[in-house]
Amino acid sequence: MQRSQANPPSAVVANIRSVSEMQKHLEQTRTIPERIADLIGGFSGSMSFVVLHLLLFAAWFIINTLPLGIHHFDPYPFILLAMIVSVEGVLLSTFVLMKQNRMQRQSDIRDHVNLQIDLLSEEEVTKALQLLLAICKKLEVDADVASGPDVQEMADHTSVDQLAERIQSDLHP
């Protein structure tokens, strides 16, 4: 029997709610500087930011080059504008880096949660395989698959520490 798309399984709904609550918690625990950096970093990556700058630069060029009867406060080669844009670039890159650092911390938290779930899943699958092998043995089921070396190997406990050491040694010989 297939479920309709409108009614996902209750476990899926619970998982979605859990992920949503974790995301809300991460958003709510941001500090004021992190909120400011997120706002500025988000705005600086938008088309509105580009349009605003194009308008400001056009106005700056018009005011400082055309004879409109307005004092040219930054005549060509626009040294004041260059300084302002340089300072803005430094500040914007700092805000973007702050936002990226916060997002990386959130990603690290999610990675740790995923690792814990993966480790639990590995233990559960190993235990289920051990139980299936025990049932096959108890019922004297002659299953060629159950007696293979790869099945026996998968039924053994997986040492996460040994896996981590092996990965480290293979990646950094």
Side-chain angles (χ1 to χ4, degrees), residues 7 30 62 119 138 145 155 162 167:
N7 297 320
R30 292 180 301 167
I62 290 168
L119 292 174
K138 179 76 172 175
V145 176
Q162 288 176 351
I167 289 170

Side-chain angles (χ1 to χ4, degrees), residues 3-21:
R3 291 184 179 269
S4 70
Q5 292 291 350
N7 297 320
S10 60
V12 171
V13 173
N15 288 340
I16 291 170
R17 187 177 305 117
S18 180
V19 168
S20 175
E21 287 173 7

Side-chain angles (χ1 to χ4, degrees), residues 24-149:
K24 284 178 189 173
H25 174 73
L26 290 172
E27 292 295 320
Q28 290 171 347
T29 57
R30 292 180 301 167
T31 64
I32 290 175
E34 288 174 332
R35 290 173 193 262
I36 292 169
D38 286 349
L39 285 171
I40 293 171
F43 178 66
S44 68
S46 71
M47 189 51 101
S48 299
F49 180 82
V50 173
V51 170
L52 176 67
H53 275 75
L54 288 175
L55 292 173
L56 287 173
F57 292 152
W60 194 284
F61 296 150
I62 290 168
I63 291 169
N64 287 293
T65 58
L66 297 179
L68 301 174
I70 302 172
H71 172 67
H72 295 176
F73 60 89
D74 187 26
Y76 181 82
F78 311 116
I79 294 171
L80 178 60
L81 178 62
M83 183 191 68
I84 290 170
V85 170
S86 295
V87 170
E88 180 189 39
V90 169
L91 292 174
L92 283 178
S93 63
T94 302
F95 285 122
V96 168
L97 287 172
M98 288 171 63
K99 181 176 181 168
Q100 287 177 336
N101 286 340
R102 186 187 61 75
M103 291 173 69
Q104 183 61 49
R105 285 191 304 274
Q106 286 183 344
S107 180
D108 290 345
I109 290 168
R110 286 188 205 98
D111 287 346
H112 288 295
V113 169
N114 284 335
L115 178 60
Q116 290 300 316
I117 291 168
D118 289 346
L119 292 174
L120 286 171
S121 295
E122 169 63 27
E123 288 179 27
E124 290 170 355
V125 169
T126 300
K127 189 53 82 175
L129 190 52
Q130 290 169 348
L131 290 170
L132 285 172
L133 289 174
I135 291 170
C136 285
K137 187 175 181 180
K138 179 76 172 175
L139 296 176
E140 297 177 357
V141 174
D142 184 25
D144 292 333
V145 176
S147 62

